[in-house]
Amino acid sequence: MKSTSIITLALSALLLSSCTDLSETLYDRVGSADYGKTPAEIETIVGKAYSSLRGGASDGVNFYPTGEFVFFVSSISSDECVIPTRVGGDWYDDGVYLELQKHTWTPNNPKIWAPWKYCYGGIAATNAILYQVQQSGLSEEASKPLRAELKTLRAYYYYKLLDMYGNVPIDTSYVVSQAPGTSPRADVYKFVENELLQNIAYLPQKAYGRFTQDAANLLLARLYLNSEVYIGQARWQDCLDVCSRISGQLSTDYFASFKQNNQTSPEIIFAIPYDSKMGTIGNYLASMTYHYEQKWALSASGNYQWCGNGIAAQPGLYSAFEENDIRRKSLLIGPQIDLRTGSTIIMPASGNPLIYTEEISNVNEALQNEGARLAKYEDKAGDAWERDYDMVLMRYAEVLMMQAECNVRLNNPAAARPFVEQIRTRAGLSTPETIDLAFIDSELRREFVFEDHRRTDNIRFGTFFGAWWEKPADAADKHTGIFPIPQQEINKNGKLAQNPGYPR
């Protein structure tokens, strides 16, 4: 929670439902003609663009980044999470989550539409506010830093589209006469790279909840780290060079970045601030993972929000952590103690004790207590439905692991060791003698568990396309490495071309 940040100065999210709506008039949302003339007023308006990071809902689809659509799409399609259909049909939802688990999704899957709406809603909001900044009458010197922030924020959304959908429309104008067509993935890559390179120098060096030079450089490093996937050209040294320009530090406590007041963590480079008292919405992931009766494990009075018993860790994830790895506490297993009685909570539907297990017996008919739960962010009695901790998008540990991976890929594992040792020492572990790509992949899985990294890592390491729990090997053409363009968007914009491997 960071109630004094620029984001909470303006909570109205300027969201549109798709790229084909970019021409919609937004004057009523970006302020009156009498507002937005002074630097202070313009900075407040820029805060509205950042509020788009919290997502929204339209057309019957939630696209909150912490919620059951955007986060679920990437995490369930990776080897990290699953939403099993539980006994009685709970969470079946027409099989859309099972499609994500098994990599059998289609362009009509509504969950795949959610990240698209999230990103293009943010792009539309940013374009609108860029237009207002340009029309404000501010001098070039005064407006340049504001425009740089907005363009970097827009580049963040385009990076996510590049990663998830590959070939997408690029539009940078608030006034659009016609819907844009699809741009090839290589062009989207180049657009993101250019936007970052041209604007990083004008960004603030320090700020919370805003794009700083460190945050923008980390986004650029992500682009180079995955360059071989995106454009078929490895850029490991470029990634290393950018990482060397990023300042930061590890928190001594791994979980400091995930506490209720995590804005104090020195490790966070970029986060989405939330404050329920200021009206922020969408931050309720914890309520999507725990069993319905979990409230009694957190409060003897039941002073905790209802939970939906949905998303869980895939079997094997908990066991991937060594027993003395403190990061293992990111997953919750075992008996849940009723604070009223001191005994294990009893599940009313079955009369059985609530004991979370790592194993899930049947993805199509899982028991209510099966599956380790997502417990990385701090929970406490009295939590509202809308949690107050900030959602971490970037932290310094990622910079260290990027440098370790790139050095290994450049056949210099000895240079990787100092970076890995910092990560492992904090986790309470020694570093093994051999540091190879298999080890880096496993360490990434542990360090960034439930932080929306895993799908991208799976693809970069090639593990995304193989068989794993309740998922057969993907098709030989590996078209699942990008999602299909949502059919709902193609229906609205005939210029959009469907991605290869998917029905048109």
Side-chain angles (χ1 to χ4, degrees), residues 159 162 189-190 192-198 200 216-243 245-246 398 402 405-406 409 456 460:
Y159 171 80
L162 164 74
Y189 176 98
K190 196 64 179 177
V192 173
E193 182 184 25
N194 287 340
E195 288 287 276
L196 293 173
L197 291 174
Q198 292 169 12
I200 285 175
N217 273 314
L218 181 45
L219 182 59
L220 183 62
R222 283 183 182 177
L223 185 74
Y224 291 155
L225 184 70
N226 295 286
S227 182
E228 192 169 33
V229 172
Y230 298 153
I231 61 171
Q233 176 186 351
R235 301 186 68 175
W236 312 120
Q237 187 59 53
D238 288 335
C239 181
L240 281 173
D241 292 344
V242 174
C243 285
R245 300 197 291 265
I246 302 172
E398 184 178 355
M402 281 181 171
E405 179 180 340
C406 288
R409 291 187 183 275
T456 304
R460 189 172 67 257

Side-chain angles (χ1 to χ4, degrees), residues 394-438:
M394 300 177 182
R395 55 188 179 91
Y396 188 66
E398 184 178 355
V399 181
L400 298 178
M401 288 304 299
M402 281 181 171
Q403 292 174 95
E405 179 180 340
C406 288
N407 275 299
V408 171
R409 291 187 183 275
L410 291 170
N411 299 314
N412 191 4
R417 177 168 291 277
F419 302 112
V420 173
E421 284 179 337
Q422 293 181 62
I423 298 294
R424 297 277 293 181
T425 298
R426 182 175 65 172
L429 305 169
S430 61
T431 303
E433 287 298 319
T434 301
I435 299 178
D436 55 16
L437 286 179

Side-chain angles (χ1 to χ4, degrees), residues 137-206:
L138 289 180
S139 67
E140 173 70 12
E141 182 180 3
S143 66
K144 183 69 175 180
L146 300 175
R147 288 185 283 116
E149 267 193 80
L150 291 165
K151 289 181 178 181
T152 303
L153 175 60
R154 185 175 62 192
Y156 170 78
Y157 286 119
Y158 272 113
Y159 171 80
K160 291 184 71 69
L161 290 165
L162 164 74
D163 182 69
M164 298 188 77
Y165 302 96
N167 313 290
V168 300
I170 299 174
D171 191 90
T172 60
S173 175
Y174 169 58
V175 181
V176 182
S177 59
Q178 57 182 344
T182 305
S183 294
R185 197 178 203 183
D187 290 356
V188 183
Y189 176 98
K190 196 64 179 177
F191 172 78
V192 173
E193 182 184 25
N194 287 340
E195 288 287 276
L196 293 173
L197 291 174
Q198 292 169 12
N199 291 289
I200 285 175
Y202 301 98
L203 297 173
Q205 292 189 343
K206 299 293 181 182

Side-chain angles (χ1 to χ4, degrees), residues 4 26 56 132 152 155 180-181 219 222 242 264 269 363 366 407 432 475 478:
T4 58
L26 291 180
Q132 183 158 358
T152 303
L219 182 59
R222 283 183 182 177
V242 174
T264 62
I269 292 177
V363 72
N407 275 299
K478 298 183 178 180

Side-chain angles (χ1 to χ4, degrees), residues 224-393:
Y224 291 155
L225 184 70
N226 295 286
S227 182
E228 192 169 33
V229 172
Y230 298 153
I231 61 171
Q233 176 186 351
R235 301 186 68 175
W236 312 120
Q237 187 59 53
D238 288 335
C239 181
L240 281 173
D241 292 344
V242 174
C243 285
S244 69
R245 300 197 291 265
I246 302 172
S247 61
Q249 67 181 90
L250 288 184
S251 170
T252 55
D253 176 8
Y254 175 76
F255 287 100
S257 296
F258 311 102
K259 298 290 188 182
Q260 293 278 336
N261 293 311
N262 56 348
Q263 75 275 6
T264 62
S265 169
E267 186 171 342
I268 294 176
I269 292 177
F270 188 44
I272 305 176
Y274 285 89
D275 186 341
S276 62
K277 293 179 180 178
M278 296 292 290
T280 58
I281 61 173
N283 193 11
Y284 55 83
L285 178 61
S287 289
M288 295 292 100
T289 187
Y290 296 133
H291 186 272
Y292 315 110
E293 298 297 306
Q294 187 69 26
K295 61 184 180 181
W296 302 116
L298 292 162
S299 168
S301 65
N303 184 21
Y304 187 82
Q305 287 298 309
W306 174 87
C307 298
N309 201 36
I311 193 168
Q314 279 197 32
L317 180 58
Y318 183 80
S319 297
F321 292 81
E322 298 171 55
E323 286 189 15
N324 57 336
D325 189 336
I326 65 171
R327 300 170 299 186
R328 200 180 200 186
K329 296 178 181 178
S330 299
L331 291 81
L332 182 64
I333 69 165
Q336 300 305 295
I337 303 303
D338 192 327
L339 296 180
R340 298 170 298 178
T341 64
S343 302
T344 304
I345 294 169
I346 299 300
M347 298 181 289
S350 64
N352 294 323
L354 177 56
I355 303 174
Y356 294 131
T357 65
E358 179 178 9
E359 296 306 315
I360 298 175
S361 57
N362 187 337
V363 72
N364 298 302
E365 197 174 14
L367 299 179
Q368 297 288 350
N369 61 300
E370 290 184 326
R373 305 309 161 105
L374 286 57
K376 191 165 193 172
Y377 283 88
E378 182 182 20
D379 299 295
K380 62 179 178 60
D383 275 344
W385 174 260
E386 301 294 346
R387 306 309 199 269
D388 286 332
Y389 46 70
D390 300 340
M391 181 183 178
V392 179
L393 298 182

Side-chain angles (χ1 to χ4, degrees), residues 115-138:
W116 180 284
K117 291 170 69 65
Y118 174 70
C119 291
Y120 276 111
I123 290 166
T126 307
N127 285 343
I129 295 171
L130 266 169
Y131 177 81
Q132 183 158 358
V133 171
Q134 292 162 357
Q135 299 297 311
S136 67
L138 289 180

